Coordinates of all heavy atoms in Angstrom, one line a residue:
M1 N 119.6 79.4 172.9 CA 119.3 80.4 171.9 C 118.9 79.6 170.6 O 119.6 78.7 170.2 CB 120.5 81.3 171.6 CG 120.2 82.5 170.8 SD 121.7 83.5 170.5 CE 122.1 84.1 172.1
D2 N 117.8 80.0 170.0 CA 117.4 79.3 168.8 C 118.2 79.8 167.6 O 118.9 80.8 167.6 CB 115.9 79.3 168.6 CG 115.4 80.8 168.3 OD1 116.2 81.7 168.4 OD2 114.2 80.9 168.0
R3 N 118.0 79.0 166.5 CA 118.8 79.3 165.3 C 118.5 80.7 164.7 O 119.4 81.4 164.2 CB 118.5 78.2 164.2 CG 119.3 78.3 163.0 CD 119.1 77.1 162.1 NE 120.0 77.2 161.0 CZ 119.7 77.5 159.8 NH1 118.4 77.7 159.5 NH2 120.5 77.5 158.8
L4 N 117.2 81.1 164.7 CA 116.8 82.4 164.2 C 117.4 83.5 164.9 O 117.9 84.5 164.3 CB 115.3 82.5 164.2 CG 114.7 83.7 163.5 CD1 115.1 83.8 162.0 CD2 113.2 83.7 163.6
S5 N 117.5 83.4 166.2 CA 118.1 84.5 167.1 C 119.6 84.6 166.8 O 120.1 85.7 166.7 CB 117.9 84.2 168.5 OG 116.6 84.2 168.9
R6 N 120.3 83.4 166.6 CA 121.7 83.5 166.3 C 121.9 84.1 164.9 O 122.8 84.8 164.7 CB 122.3 82.1 166.3 CG 122.5 81.6 167.8 CD 123.2 80.3 167.8 NE 122.1 79.3 167.6 CZ 122.2 78.1 167.1 NH1 123.5 77.7 166.8 NH2 121.2 77.3 166.9
L7 N 121.0 83.7 163.9 CA 121.2 84.2 162.6 C 121.0 85.7 162.6 O 121.7 86.5 161.9 CB 120.1 83.6 161.7 CG 120.1 84.0 160.2 CD1 121.5 83.7 159.6 CD2 119.0 83.3 159.4
H8 N 120.0 86.2 163.3 CA 119.7 87.7 163.4 C 120.9 88.4 164.0 O 121.3 89.5 163.6 CB 118.4 87.9 164.2 CG 118.1 89.4 164.3 ND1 117.7 90.1 163.2 CD2 118.0 90.2 165.3 CE1 117.5 91.3 163.5 NE2 117.7 91.5 164.9
K9 N 121.5 87.9 165.1 CA 122.6 88.5 165.7 C 123.8 88.5 164.8 O 124.5 89.5 164.7 CB 123.0 87.8 167.0 CG 122.2 88.1 168.2 CD 122.7 87.6 169.5 CE 121.9 88.0 170.6 NZ 122.5 87.6 171.9
G10 N 124.0 87.5 164.0 CA 125.1 87.4 163.1 C 124.9 88.5 162.0 O 125.8 89.2 161.6
T11 N 123.7 88.7 161.5 CA 123.4 89.7 160.5 C 123.6 91.1 161.1 O 124.2 91.9 160.4 CB 121.9 89.5 160.0 OG1 121.7 88.2 159.6 CG2 121.6 90.5 158.9
A12 N 123.2 91.3 162.3 CA 123.4 92.6 162.9 C 124.9 92.9 163.1 O 125.4 94.0 162.9 CB 122.7 92.7 164.2
G13 N 125.7 91.9 163.5 CA 127.1 92.0 163.6 C 127.8 92.3 162.3 O 128.7 93.2 162.2
E14 N 127.3 91.6 161.3 CA 127.9 91.9 159.9 C 127.6 93.3 159.5 O 128.4 94.0 158.9 CB 127.4 90.9 158.9 CG 127.9 89.5 159.2 CD 127.2 88.4 158.3 OE1 126.4 88.8 157.5 OE2 127.5 87.2 158.5
A15 N 126.4 93.8 159.8 CA 126.0 95.1 159.4 C 126.8 96.2 160.1 O 127.2 97.2 159.5 CB 124.5 95.3 159.6
A16 N 127.1 95.9 161.4 CA 128.0 96.8 162.1 C 129.4 96.9 161.6 O 130.0 97.9 161.5 CB 128.0 96.4 163.6
Q17 N 129.9 95.7 161.2 CA 131.2 95.6 160.6 C 131.3 96.4 159.2 O 132.2 97.0 158.9 CB 131.6 94.2 160.4 CG 132.0 93.5 161.7 CD 132.4 92.0 161.4 OE1 132.1 91.5 160.4 NE2 133.0 91.4 162.4
M18 N 130.2 96.2 158.4 CA 130.2 96.9 157.2 C 130.1 98.4 157.4 O 130.8 99.2 156.6 CB 128.9 96.5 156.3 CG 129.1 95.1 155.8 SD 130.5 94.9 154.6 CE 129.9 96.0 153.3
A19 N 129.3 98.9 158.4 CA 129.3 100.3 158.7 C 130.6 100.8 159.1 O 131.1 101.9 158.7 CB 128.2 100.6 159.7
Q20 N 131.3 100.0 159.9 CA 132.7 100.4 160.3 C 133.6 100.5 159.1 O 134.4 101.4 159.0 CB 133.2 99.5 161.4 CG 134.5 99.9 162.0 CD 134.4 101.1 162.9 OE1 133.3 101.5 163.3 NE2 135.5 101.8 163.1
A21 N 133.5 99.5 158.3 CA 134.4 99.5 157.1 C 134.1 100.7 156.2 O 135.1 101.3 155.6 CB 134.2 98.2 156.3
K22 N 132.9 101.0 156.0 CA 132.5 102.2 155.2 C 133.1 103.5 155.8 O 133.6 104.3 155.1 CB 131.0 102.3 155.1 CG 130.4 101.3 154.2 CD 128.9 101.5 154.1 CE 128.2 100.4 153.2 NZ 126.8 100.6 153.2
K23 N 133.1 103.6 157.1 CA 133.6 104.8 157.8 C 135.1 104.8 157.5 O 135.7 105.9 157.2 CB 133.4 104.7 159.3 CG 132.0 105.1 159.7 CD 131.9 105.0 161.2 CE 130.4 105.2 161.6 NZ 130.3 105.1 163.1
I24 N 135.8 103.7 157.6 CA 137.3 103.7 157.4 C 137.6 104.1 156.0 O 138.5 104.9 155.7 CB 137.8 102.3 157.8 CG1 137.7 102.1 159.3 CG2 139.3 102.2 157.3 CD1 138.0 100.7 159.7
V25 N 136.9 103.5 155.0 CA 137.1 103.8 153.6 C 136.8 105.3 153.4 O 137.6 106.0 152.6 CB 136.2 103.0 152.7 CG1 136.3 103.4 151.3 CG2 136.7 101.5 152.8
L26 N 135.8 105.9 153.9 CA 135.5 107.3 153.8 C 136.6 108.1 154.3 O 137.0 109.1 153.7 CB 134.1 107.6 154.4 CG 133.7 109.1 154.3 CD1 133.5 109.5 152.9 CD2 132.5 109.3 155.1
Y27 N 137.1 107.8 155.5 CA 138.2 108.6 156.1 C 139.4 108.5 155.3 O 140.1 109.5 155.1 CB 138.5 108.1 157.5 CG 137.4 108.4 158.6 CD1 137.0 107.5 159.5 CD2 136.8 109.7 158.5 CE1 136.1 107.8 160.5 CE2 135.8 110.0 159.5 CZ 135.5 109.1 160.4 OH 134.5 109.4 161.3
M28 N 139.7 107.3 154.7 CA 140.9 107.2 153.9 C 140.8 108.0 152.6 O 141.7 108.6 152.2 CB 141.1 105.7 153.5 CG 141.6 104.9 154.7 SD 141.7 103.1 154.4 CE 142.8 103.0 153.0
L29 N 139.6 108.0 152.0 CA 139.3 108.8 150.8 C 139.5 110.3 151.1 O 140.1 111.0 150.4 CB 137.9 108.6 150.3 CG 137.5 109.3 149.1 CD1 138.4 108.9 147.9 CD2 136.0 109.1 148.7
V30 N 139.0 110.8 152.3 CA 139.1 112.2 152.7 C 140.6 112.5 152.8 O 141.1 113.6 152.4 CB 138.3 112.5 153.9 CG1 138.7 113.8 154.5 CG2 136.8 112.4 153.7
V31 N 141.3 111.7 153.5 CA 142.8 111.9 153.7 C 143.5 111.9 152.4 O 144.3 112.8 152.1 CB 143.4 110.8 154.6 CG1 144.9 110.9 154.6 CG2 142.9 111.0 156.1
F32 N 143.2 111.0 151.5 CA 143.8 111.0 150.1 C 143.5 112.3 149.4 O 144.4 112.9 148.8 CB 143.3 109.8 149.4 CG 143.8 109.8 147.9 CD1 145.2 109.5 147.7 CD2 143.0 110.1 146.9 CE1 145.7 109.5 146.4 CE2 143.5 110.1 145.6 CZ 144.8 109.8 145.3
V33 N 142.2 112.7 149.4 CA 141.9 114.0 148.7 C 142.6 115.2 149.3 O 143.2 116.0 148.5 CB 140.3 114.2 148.7 CG1 140.0 115.6 148.3 CG2 139.6 113.1 147.9
L34 N 142.6 115.3 150.6 CA 143.4 116.4 151.2 C 144.8 116.3 150.9 O 145.5 117.4 150.6 CB 143.1 116.4 152.7 CG 141.7 116.7 153.2 CD1 141.6 116.5 154.7 CD2 141.4 118.1 152.8
Y35 N 145.4 115.2 150.9 CA 146.9 115.0 150.6 C 147.1 115.5 149.2 O 148.1 116.2 148.9 CB 147.3 113.6 150.8 CG 148.7 113.3 150.3 CD1 149.8 113.7 151.0 CD2 148.9 112.7 149.0 CE1 151.1 113.4 150.5 CE2 150.2 112.5 148.6 CZ 151.3 112.8 149.3 OH 152.5 112.6 148.8
T36 N 146.2 115.1 148.2 CA 146.4 115.4 146.8 C 146.3 116.9 146.7 O 147.0 117.6 145.9 CB 145.3 114.7 146.0 OG1 145.5 113.3 146.2 CG2 145.5 115.1 144.5
I37 N 145.3 117.6 147.3 CA 145.1 119.0 147.2 C 146.3 119.7 147.8 O 146.8 120.7 147.2 CB 143.8 119.4 148.0 CG1 142.6 118.9 147.2 CG2 143.8 120.9 148.1 CD1 141.3 119.1 147.9
I38 N 146.9 119.3 148.9 CA 148.0 120.0 149.5 C 149.3 119.7 148.7 O 150.1 120.7 148.5 CB 148.2 119.5 151.0 CG1 147.0 120.0 151.8 CG2 149.5 119.9 151.5 CD1 146.9 119.3 153.2
K39 N 149.5 118.5 148.2 CA 150.7 118.2 147.5 C 150.8 118.8 146.1 O 151.8 119.3 145.7 CB 150.8 116.6 147.5 CG 152.2 116.1 147.0 CD 153.2 116.3 148.1 CE 154.5 115.7 147.6 NZ 155.6 116.1 148.4
T40 N 149.7 118.7 145.4 CA 149.6 119.2 144.0 C 148.3 119.9 143.8 O 147.4 119.4 143.1 CB 149.8 118.0 143.0 OG1 148.8 117.1 143.3 CG2 151.1 117.4 143.1
P41 N 148.2 121.1 144.2 CA 147.0 121.9 144.1 C 146.6 122.1 142.6 O 145.4 122.1 142.3 CB 147.2 123.2 144.9 CG 148.6 123.3 145.1 CD 149.2 121.9 145.0
A42 N 147.5 122.4 141.8 CA 147.2 122.6 140.4 C 146.6 121.4 139.7 O 145.6 121.5 139.0 CB 148.5 123.0 139.6
R43 N 147.1 120.2 140.0 CA 146.6 119.0 139.5 C 145.2 118.7 140.0 O 144.3 118.3 139.3 CB 147.5 117.8 139.8 CG 147.0 116.5 139.4 CD 147.1 116.3 137.9 NE 146.7 114.9 137.5 CZ 145.9 114.6 136.5 NH1 145.4 115.6 135.7 NH2 145.6 113.4 136.3
A44 N 145.0 119.0 141.3 CA 143.7 118.8 141.9 C 142.7 119.8 141.3 O 141.5 119.4 141.0 CB 143.8 119.1 143.4
A45 N 143.1 121.0 141.0 CA 142.2 121.9 140.4 C 141.8 121.4 139.0 O 140.7 121.6 138.5 CB 142.8 123.3 140.3
D46 N 142.8 120.9 138.3 CA 142.5 120.3 136.9 C 141.5 119.2 137.0 O 140.6 119.1 136.2 CB 143.8 119.8 136.3 CG 144.7 121.0 135.9 OD1 144.3 122.1 135.7 OD2 145.9 120.7 135.7
L47 N 141.6 118.3 138.0 CA 140.7 117.2 138.1 C 139.3 117.7 138.4 O 138.3 117.2 137.9 CB 141.2 116.2 139.2 CG 142.5 115.5 138.8 CD1 142.9 114.7 140.0 CD2 142.3 114.6 137.6
V48 N 139.2 118.7 139.3 CA 137.9 119.2 139.6 C 137.3 119.9 138.4 O 136.1 119.7 138.1 CB 138.0 120.3 140.8 CG1 136.7 121.0 141.0 CG2 138.4 119.6 142.1
Q49 N 138.1 120.6 137.6 CA 137.5 121.2 136.4 C 137.0 120.2 135.4 O 136.0 120.3 134.8 CB 138.6 122.1 135.7 CG 138.1 122.8 134.5 CD 139.2 123.7 133.9 OE1 140.3 123.8 134.4 NE2 138.8 124.4 132.8
V50 N 137.8 119.1 135.2 CA 137.4 118.0 134.3 C 136.1 117.4 134.8 O 135.2 117.1 134.0 CB 138.5 117.0 134.2 CG1 138.0 115.7 133.6 CG2 139.7 117.5 133.5
G51 N 136.0 117.2 136.1 CA 134.7 116.7 136.7 C 133.5 117.5 136.4 O 132.5 117.1 136.0
F52 N 133.7 118.9 136.7 CA 132.6 119.8 136.4 C 132.2 119.9 134.9 O 131.1 120.0 134.6 CB 132.9 121.1 137.0 CG 132.6 121.2 138.5 CD1 133.6 121.7 139.3 CD2 131.4 120.9 139.0 CE1 133.4 121.8 140.7 CE2 131.2 120.9 140.4 CZ 132.2 121.4 141.2
E53 N 133.2 119.8 134.1 CA 133.0 119.8 132.6 C 132.2 118.6 132.2 O 131.3 118.7 131.4 CB 134.3 119.9 131.8 CG 134.9 121.3 131.9 CD 136.3 121.3 131.2 OE1 136.7 120.2 130.7 OE2 136.9 122.4 131.2
G54 N 132.5 117.4 132.8 CA 131.8 116.2 132.5 C 130.3 116.3 133.0 O 129.4 115.9 132.2
I55 N 130.1 116.8 134.2 CA 128.8 117.0 134.6 C 128.0 118.0 133.8 O 126.8 117.8 133.4 CB 128.8 117.5 136.1 CG1 129.3 116.4 137.0 CG2 127.4 117.9 136.6 CD1 129.6 116.8 138.4
S56 N 128.6 119.1 133.4 CA 128.0 120.1 132.5 C 127.7 119.5 131.1 O 126.6 119.7 130.6 CB 128.9 121.3 132.3 OG 128.4 122.2 131.4
D57 N 128.6 118.7 130.6 CA 128.3 118.1 129.3 C 127.2 117.1 129.4 O 126.3 117.0 128.5 CB 129.6 117.3 128.8 CG 130.7 118.3 128.3 OD1 130.4 119.5 128.2 OD2 131.8 117.8 128.2
A58 N 127.1 116.3 130.5 CA 126.0 115.4 130.7 C 124.7 116.1 130.8 O 123.7 115.7 130.2 CB 126.3 114.5 131.9
A59 N 124.7 117.2 131.5 CA 123.4 117.9 131.7 C 123.0 118.5 130.4 O 121.8 118.5 130.0 CB 123.6 119.0 132.7
T60 N 123.9 119.0 129.6 CA 123.6 119.6 128.3 C 123.0 118.5 127.4 O 122.0 118.7 126.7 CB 124.8 120.2 127.6 OG1 125.3 121.2 128.5 CG2 124.5 120.7 126.3
S61 N 123.6 117.3 127.4 CA 123.1 116.2 126.6 C 121.7 115.8 127.0 O 120.9 115.5 126.1 CB 124.1 115.0 126.7 OG 125.3 115.3 126.2
V62 N 121.5 115.7 128.3 CA 120.1 115.3 128.7 C 119.1 116.4 128.3 O 118.0 116.1 127.8 CB 120.1 115.2 130.3 CG1 118.7 115.1 130.8 CG2 120.9 113.9 130.7
G63 N 119.5 117.7 128.4 CA 118.6 118.8 127.9 C 118.3 118.7 126.5 O 117.2 118.8 126.0
E64 N 119.3 118.4 125.7 CA 119.1 118.3 124.2 C 118.2 117.1 123.9 O 117.3 117.1 123.0 CB 120.5 118.1 123.5 CG 121.3 119.4 123.5 CD 122.7 119.2 122.9 OE1 123.0 118.0 122.5 OE2 123.5 120.1 122.9
F65 N 118.4 116.0 124.6 CA 117.6 114.8 124.4 C 116.1 115.1 124.7 O 115.2 114.7 124.0 CB 118.1 113.7 125.3 CG 117.3 112.4 125.3 CD1 117.3 111.6 124.2 CD2 116.5 112.1 126.3 CE1 116.5 110.4 124.1 CE2 115.7 110.9 126.3 CZ 115.7 110.1 125.2
M66 N 115.9 115.8 125.9 CA 114.5 116.1 126.2 C 113.9 117.0 125.2 O 112.7 116.9 124.9 CB 114.5 116.7 127.7 CG 114.9 115.7 128.7 SD 113.7 114.4 128.8 CE 114.2 113.5 130.2
T67 N 114.7 118.0 124.7 CA 114.2 118.9 123.7 C 113.7 118.2 122.5 O 112.7 118.4 121.9 CB 115.2 120.0 123.4 OG1 115.6 120.7 124.6 CG2 114.7 120.9 122.3
E68 N 114.6 117.2 122.1 CA 114.2 116.4 120.9 C 113.0 115.6 121.1 O 112.2 115.3 120.2 CB 115.4 115.6 120.4 CG 116.6 116.3 119.9 CD 116.2 117.1 118.6 OE1 115.5 116.5 117.7 OE2 116.6 118.3 118.5
L69 N 112.8 115.1 122.3 CA 111.6 114.3 122.6 C 110.3 115.1 122.5 O 109.3 114.5 122.1 CB 111.7 113.7 124.0 CG 112.6 112.4 124.2 CD1 112.5 112.0 125.7 CD2 112.1 111.3 123.3
T70 N 110.4 116.3 122.8 CA 109.2 117.2 122.8 C 108.9 117.7 121.4 O 107.8 118.2 121.2 CB 109.3 118.4 123.8 OG1 110.5 119.1 123.4 CG2 109.5 117.9 125.2
K71 N 109.7 117.5 120.5 CA 109.5 118.0 119.1 C 108.6 117.0 118.4 O 108.5 115.9 118.5 CB 110.8 118.2 118.3 CG 111.5 119.4 118.8 CD 112.7 119.6 117.9 CE 113.5 120.8 118.3 NZ 114.6 121.1 117.5

């Protein structure tokens, strides 16, 4: 097997490992979120509200910025 073939196989193997690691991290995140919602639903609701307020504020700011640009 030549060097290029070995290098390509190593890269493919690393990519597969990264994909597997991403899946594991995603599953852990989902489990953590579900645990948080079940354990402290009021706190989870507060965090979601804060997140949506942040998104809303950011969208409002972008809208105001675009409005000022067109003046």
